[in-house]
Amino acid sequence: MEGWYIDPGYFNFHLFTMSIFVFVLLRFSYIYYWTGRPFGQSSTRCSLKTLIVLGSGGHTAEMLNLLVVLDMDKFGPRIYVAAETDNMSLEKAGVFENKLMADREKNYSKNSEHPKFMKIYRSREVGQSYVTSIGTTLIAAAHALWIIFKVQPQVVICNVPGTCFPLCLCAYFLKFVGLRWCSIFYVESIARVRRLSLSGMLVYKLHLADQFFVQWPQLYKEYPSAKYVGRLM
């Protein structure tokens, strides 16, 4: 009967591996079910720490136009993040926040915390090949993980810039390990009429966003899990 002997250590190892697999599967199922669903009204009674991802070119302008319609008393403190080589986006965000502070009665609570501005390693430079961007994306992901653990946002708002994908991925990881339930809102650029951007495609295919918005009906037909809200800007 020696051929039927099962090493207890071998059995315990496979039992442990199977338990980890089942736990991960159940955790992903739980997060997938609750992604995009409200947990209750308690979160709406207080301000939510919000991470806002900015991008070079017109992406920052689009994002700031989106922020104008938000109730800033509900989204704060606000932390703005831009690529380290982007010298203009954080400056524009600072001007935007100064305008809010100058109009406290309408848009800015006297008890609001001052916004913070951070830079992140860029995952992909303009014109950089997709092959070489793999390595830079991994570096950006490590930096993004540090930022996410440092900030621990409750809300992430982003649109197209490549810096948003590693941040969304790390925010999802934060949610998975149970450190902070972070709601991710992704708005595809108005310039994207028929196809998603690379960042949008990754966020959409991996189901990272709680709400994924597109601004053209052509995109909604191609990606029905998204939400078509018309042109926001």
Side-chain angles (χ1 to χ4, degrees):
M1 298 295 292
E2 292 182 358
W4 292 94
Y5 175 75
I6 299 177
D7 185 356
Y10 176 86
F11 176 79
N12 291 336
F13 172 77
H14 280 269
L15 180 62
F16 174 76
T17 303
M18 183 59 67
S19 300
I20 293 296
F21 175 78
V22 171
F23 170 78
V24 170
L25 183 62
L26 290 175
R27 182 62 180 169
F28 270 122
S29 300
Y30 174 82
I31 293 175
Y32 184 84
Y33 175 80
W34 281 108
T35 293
R37 299 171 183 261
F39 272 97
Q41 300 299 320
S42 59
S43 61
T44 63
R45 298 174 184 172
C46 59
S47 187
L48 301 171
K49 183 182 288 188
T50 303
L51 185 73
I52 301 166
V53 186
L54 304 176
S56 57
H59 301 320
T60 291
E62 289 187 10
M63 178 58 70
L64 296 181
N65 284 334
L66 290 174
L67 297 180
V68 168
V69 302
L70 295 181
D71 183 350
M72 288 305 188
D73 288 338
K74 293 183 178 179
F75 294 92
R78 290 176 294 283
I79 302 93
Y80 294 87
V81 179
E84 63 176 357
T85 56
D86 183 356
N87 298 319
M88 297 296 296
S89 293
L90 294 181
E91 181 179 339
K92 291 178 181 178
V95 172
F96 173 79
E97 286 287 341
N98 288 335
K99 289 181 178 179
L100 293 183
M101 294 181 68
D103 194 15
R104 287 176 181 270
E105 292 185 359
K106 282 188 176 182
N107 300 319
Y108 210 86
S109 170
K110 294 181 180 180
N111 297 322
S112 296
E113 295 185 35
H114 290 290
K116 296 180 175 62
F117 305 91
M118 304 179 71
K119 289 193 173 185
I120 183 174
Y121 189 83
R122 188 187 287 271
S123 57
R124 181 173 179 266
E125 296 287 351
V126 176
Q128 182 181 355
S129 69
Y130 291 121
V131 175
T132 59
S133 67
I134 295 175
T136 55
T137 298
L138 292 176
I139 297 174
H143 194 190
L145 189 62
W146 178 82
I147 290 175
I148 290 295
F149 270 87
K150 178 181 177 64
V151 175
Q152 294 198 20
Q154 294 166 279
V155 175
V156 172
I157 304 176
C158 57
N159 48 6
V160 177
T163 51
C164 77
F165 174 68
L167 287 167
C168 288
L169 192 63
C170 293
Y172 190 91
F173 176 75
L174 199 74
K175 183 190 301 187
F176 176 78
V177 298
L179 291 180
R180 168 81 82 174
W181 188 271
C182 180
S183 297
I184 301 170
F185 298 94
Y186 183 95
V187 182
E188 186 57 272
S189 171
I190 194 172
R192 291 289 174 167
V193 179
R194 299 185 182 277
R195 296 183 60 187
L196 294 176
S197 62
L198 177 60
S199 298
M201 182 66 73
L202 291 171
V203 171
Y204 182 87
K205 292 296 185 180
L206 295 176
H207 302 281
L208 299 181
D210 290 75
Q211 301 289 343
F212 190 103
F213 299 101
V214 296
Q215 302 185 59
W216 294 94
Q218 297 92 320
L219 271 182
Y220 178 66
K221 291 178 181 179
E222 292 293 325
Y223 306 97
S225 295
K227 293 184 180 297
Y228 170 58
V229 291
R231 288 179 285 281
L232 299 175
M233 58 204 68

